[in-house]
Amino acid sequence: MEASSKNTVQALQMGDPYPGRQHTLLAQIPTWDAMVNFGQRNPQALAAATHGYPRSIIHPDVCRLGFKIKGKLHRGAEDLLVLLFSSASLALSCREYAIHLLRRDEKSSDSDNLIQLHSIHFDARCLDHQGDCSPPSIHAVVCHPEVSQFARAFWERAGPGISSRLALNCLQHLSDAQIVSLGPVCEERPESNASVIYETIRSRIAALAERAARPPQRRKKTASSDVYLYQSGMAAIYQVHKLLLGWRGGESAHVGLLYGPTLKVLETQGPGLRSYSLGTEADLDRLAAQQEVLAQEGRPLQAVWCECPSNPLLQTVDFHRLRQLADQHRMVVIVDDSVGSFANVDMLGVADILVTSLSKFFSGKADVMAGSVILNPNSPHWTQLHELMTASYHNDVFVDDAIQLEYNSRDFLDRVANINRTTQYLIDKLAPLVSDLSSPITRIFYPSLSPSRKLYERQMRCATKDFRPGYGGLFTIEFANVATAASFFDNLHIYKGFSFGADVSIATPYVQMTMQDGKDKAAKWGVKETIIRFSTGFEGPEEIFNRIDTALNAANCVWRWRKEPGP
């Protein structure tokens, strides 16, 4: 990190976006206290954050478009919330999700009139960059205050809102658009997303899924037709869960830790979620025993969700044993490989469905939201899953976002190789501090340091001449107490926000940002309030370590002061 870059980071205030990138996913949350306030949804903190990760903070261009649409529909109704989606089915899903939560939490029966749906149709001059995408519609969900928080929960958890690029384009043509009010059932206006750019991305992902695959040889290779694109990783997760509920309607389970919003989606939709949160052998024993009982009762688990490795503790479950259990009980195994990435881990030997946040390492620039689903062609469930997906799938990725994603991902392997090397350098420097009694660092979580290291290595891709797989670009530091963690964070001069896999390093106090309402549960899972997750960027390894070392010196001062006996 050059001095100019350091100065840029230090100059950023609360909510300031990454400089020079109009559609950046990064916005600075510079202090520990600011992170706590943001995670607690403090109104002042939210008001100060004009930019942020798009699922948490609606992009200013999306806000402007929503405000203009609200002005056309409801002049003077300032308390109404407008959320914008790229398909009518997503708008309807938002409405259903919000009403479900409202009725569950408030036992309200008069909720149907609290959300209105509208379609905004654009003419042929709009949004047509390559001549093969028909003019789209966007769809507005207009919410009264009583239901706004629940609609926002759908936006944050399901991740399907329109992108800032689409909003900017719509703003230029809104004066010529036609707005149509809709009832409780929406019909999609036929659209074509036949642009070659989508096929290019799908083919690239399919090739990466098969590159240097783990033995044994797979009977069928992943084709581009097995890859489905979504507006975000969470949108992919939401749609897969919705598809499984429509097919089987049963309970799901998670083995090992899952990302907080993923848990919320699985918990709030469907008959329930069973937790085997540590992913240990004992957890798998318990899963096997409970599935036997549930099968005898005629209500077996429909699916098991996992990450490889888990976020934020970077642990790996025994996927081979899990696969055996899944085959025995006809469970669908869904794996999120966003942290490990297509480059480092091969999950298609064990997963029926692979979900990935393309916003992270695949894009690598933190300036486009996207996600993908791969249906494993060798899965025993492929035929049914493919039929269900074909019947329900709608590509909602805006063409300009796809163009940016394709461009960003061209050097994917080279970037991940660089990040792997830099992160391992940092781990080698930091790991000895865990056993140093004068250091406030009590633990470092990284796949190469984990008791589950062999399980991770079992999922690593084969090494080739052009790429050697590694342990990834994410690690987590655990501190002795909150005071030392806060001091470290406040004196760490890198980007601070909620993302990973970018070309700049990013630090996040994970519990404060994602699990404020579930701290007790997090603690039981070993996710303490004193952890800081670190995503390695493209800055030089020595420079990154120097920044970390400076922050550690500040944390050491607090640590020594707290350890010294009083007078």
Side-chain angles (χ1 to χ4, degrees):
M1 190 184 302
E2 298 177 357
S4 59
S5 177
K6 173 192 171 186
N7 294 337
T8 297
V9 171
Q10 288 180 293
L12 293 175
Q13 303 298 312
M14 176 68 182
D16 284 351
Y18 184 108
R21 292 184 186 172
Q22 181 177 7
H23 303 286
T24 183
L25 312 183
L26 300 180
Q28 192 76 337
I29 306 178
T31 67
W32 183 274
D33 287 344
M35 284 282 185
V36 170
N37 288 331
F38 187 87
Q40 292 176 342
R41 315 305 288 172
N42 179 288
Q44 290 182 328
L46 296 178
T50 55
H51 288 75
Y53 200 72
R55 284 192 299 100
S56 299
I57 299 294
I58 301 176
H59 191 279
D61 290 334
V62 179
C63 288
R64 281 201 298 134
L65 179 60
F67 182 80
K68 287 181 177 293
I69 290 172
K70 181 168 66 174
K72 288 176 174 289
L73 293 170
H74 303 278
R75 290 189 180 276
E78 297 298 328
D79 60 343
L80 297 179
L81 171 70
V82 175
L83 298 176
L84 301 173
F85 301 91
S86 53
S87 75
S89 61
L90 289 173
L92 183 58
S93 293
C94 178
R95 183 180 185 276
E96 292 173 344
Y97 188 86
I99 289 176
H100 167 71
L101 293 185
L102 177 70
R103 289 175 174 171
R104 186 194 67 179
D105 289 7
E106 300 185 3
K107 306 296 187 297
S108 172
S109 59
D110 184 25
S111 54
D112 291 336
N113 295 321
L114 297 178
I115 300 182
Q116 291 84 44
L117 306 180
H118 305 272
S119 288
I120 299 93
H121 300 303
F122 295 87
D123 64 29
R125 296 174 298 166
C126 184
L127 317 176
D128 187 3
H129 289 264
Q130 299 194 352
D132 47 11
C133 296
S134 64
S137 301
I138 61 172
H139 306 271
V141 177
V142 183
C143 311
H144 286 257
E146 298 93 319
V147 76
S148 292
Q149 63 173 316
F150 303 112
R152 279 294 298 262
F154 179 82
W155 177 283
E156 293 178 11
R157 295 168 186 172
I162 71 167
S163 73
S164 54
R165 288 184 180 85
L166 176 53
L168 191 62
N169 215 321
C170 289
L171 281 166
Q172 298 171 2
H173 300 274
L174 185 59
S175 60
D176 298 322
Q178 177 188 10
I179 299 180
V180 179
S181 297
L182 300 173
V185 178
C186 304
E187 293 186 5
E188 294 284 0
R189 177 168 137 175
E191 296 176 11
S192 168
N193 280 316
S195 172
V196 67
I197 202 70
Y198 300 110
E199 178 61 23
T200 300
I201 296 171
R202 286 193 291 262
S203 296
R204 182 170 298 161
I205 291 172
L208 288 166
E210 293 297 336
R211 189 197 64 80
R214 298 285 306 172
Q217 190 76 10
R218 295 196 275 260
R219 186 170 57 90
K220 295 180 181 177
K221 302 295 184 184
T222 304
S224 62
S225 57
D226 294 315
V227 180
Y228 301 83
L229 301 178
Y230 292 90
Q231 309 100 306
S232 68
M234 283 308 305
I237 287 167
Y238 169 79
Q239 293 293 349
V240 167
H241 182 52
K242 184 178 178 182
L243 179 146
L244 292 173
L245 286 174
W247 175 28
R248 291 184 162 182
E251 287 184 295
S252 294
H254 73 99
V255 176
L257 293 176
L258 283 187
Y259 175 49
T262 303
L263 280 172
K264 287 291 187 183
V265 167
L266 301 180
E267 288 170 345
T268 56
Q269 289 201 296
L273 176 68
R274 293 178 178 259
S275 175
Y276 308 89
S277 56
L278 300 180
T280 60
E281 285 299 309
D283 274 333
L284 290 174
D285 289 341
R286 190 160 56 92
L287 170 63
Q290 290 187 353
Q291 181 70 321
E292 290 283 357
V293 173
L294 291 170
Q296 292 174 5
E297 295 175 352
R299 50 189 189 96
L301 295 174
Q302 67 175 7
V304 178
W305 293 73
C306 309
E307 295 180 0
C308 186
S310 66
N311 181 5
L313 300 188
L314 292 309
Q315 297 166 340
T316 306
V317 305
D318 187 342
F319 282 103
H320 285 220
R321 186 180 176 200
L322 183 61
R323 182 69 256 171
Q324 291 171 353
L325 289 174
D327 289 339
Q328 181 181 352
H329 296 286
R330 295 191 68 250
M331 294 184 292
V332 178
V333 176
I334 305 102
V335 179
D336 184 340
D337 70 343
S338 301
V339 173
S341 81
F342 299 131
N344 290 319
V345 295
D346 174 17
M347 304 310 300
L348 288 185
V350 294
D352 299 290
I353 302 174
L354 190 65
V355 294
T356 308
S357 173
L358 303 178
S359 317
K360 307 303 193 295
F361 291 107
F362 185 76
S363 169
K365 297 292 194 304
D367 64 351
V368 61
M369 292 282 281
S372 66
V373 167
I374 299 177
L375 299 184
N376 185 347
N378 296 289
S379 165
H381 309 289
W382 182 88
T383 299
Q384 290 165 300
L385 291 172
H386 180 73
E387 289 177 357
L388 290 167
M389 187 70 87
T390 300
S392 63
Y393 177 69
H394 186 276
N395 180 9
D396 293 304
V397 179
F398 179 46
V399 64
D400 283 4
D401 292 309
I403 290 169
Q404 189 66 47
L405 182 64
E406 188 281 323
Y407 177 79
N408 288 356
S409 62
R410 292 177 185 179
D411 62 348
F412 170 62
L413 289 178
D414 288 340
R415 285 188 288 101
V416 174
N418 183 310
I419 288 172
N420 283 344
R421 289 191 297 268
T422 299
T423 308
Q424 192 61 58
Y425 170 89
L426 297 175
I427 293 297
D428 292 341
K429 288 279 195 178
L430 293 170
L433 297 177
V434 174
S435 57
D436 184 348
L437 296 179
S438 67
S439 168
I441 295 178
T442 56
R443 192 168 178 184
I444 293 177
F445 297 91
Y446 191 60
S448 66
L449 302 178
S450 173
S452 63
R453 173 175 177 162
K454 290 184 178 179
L455 296 176
Y456 177 88
E457 290 175 344
R458 189 189 287 178
Q459 302 305 140
M460 290 174 76
R461 294 189 179 275
C462 300
T464 61
K465 290 182 179 180
D466 62 331
F467 185 86
R468 184 176 186 84
Y471 299 94
L474 219 63
F475 63 93
T476 296
I477 305 174
E478 180 185 282
F479 290 87
N481 52 47
V482 169
T484 53
S487 178
F488 174 84
F489 187 79
D490 289 348
N491 289 278
L492 182 62
H493 299 309
I494 66 169
Y495 286 90
K496 299 169 183 177
F498 195 68
S499 190
F500 63 86
D503 52 346
V504 293
S505 297
I506 308 166
T508 306
Y510 190 84
V511 172
Q512 286 69 22
M513 280 292 284
T514 68
M515 306 184 78
Q516 281 282 4
D517 59 348
K519 289 189 288 187
D520 292 340
K521 181 190 292 186
K524 291 179 182 178
W525 295 345
V527 183
K528 299 182 180 180
E529 289 186 83
T530 60
I531 64 169
I532 293 174
R533 191 188 69 186
F534 195 100
S535 174
T536 303
F538 264 31
E539 306 92 343
E542 295 86 1
E543 255 331 293
I544 297 175
F545 180 73
N546 287 340
R547 301 292 168 232
I548 293 175
D549 194 44
T550 298
L552 280 175
N553 288 336
N556 281 336
C557 292
V558 174
W559 175 236
R560 288 195 298 269
W561 176 79
R562 286 187 168 252
K563 287 179 63 180
E564 290 175 358

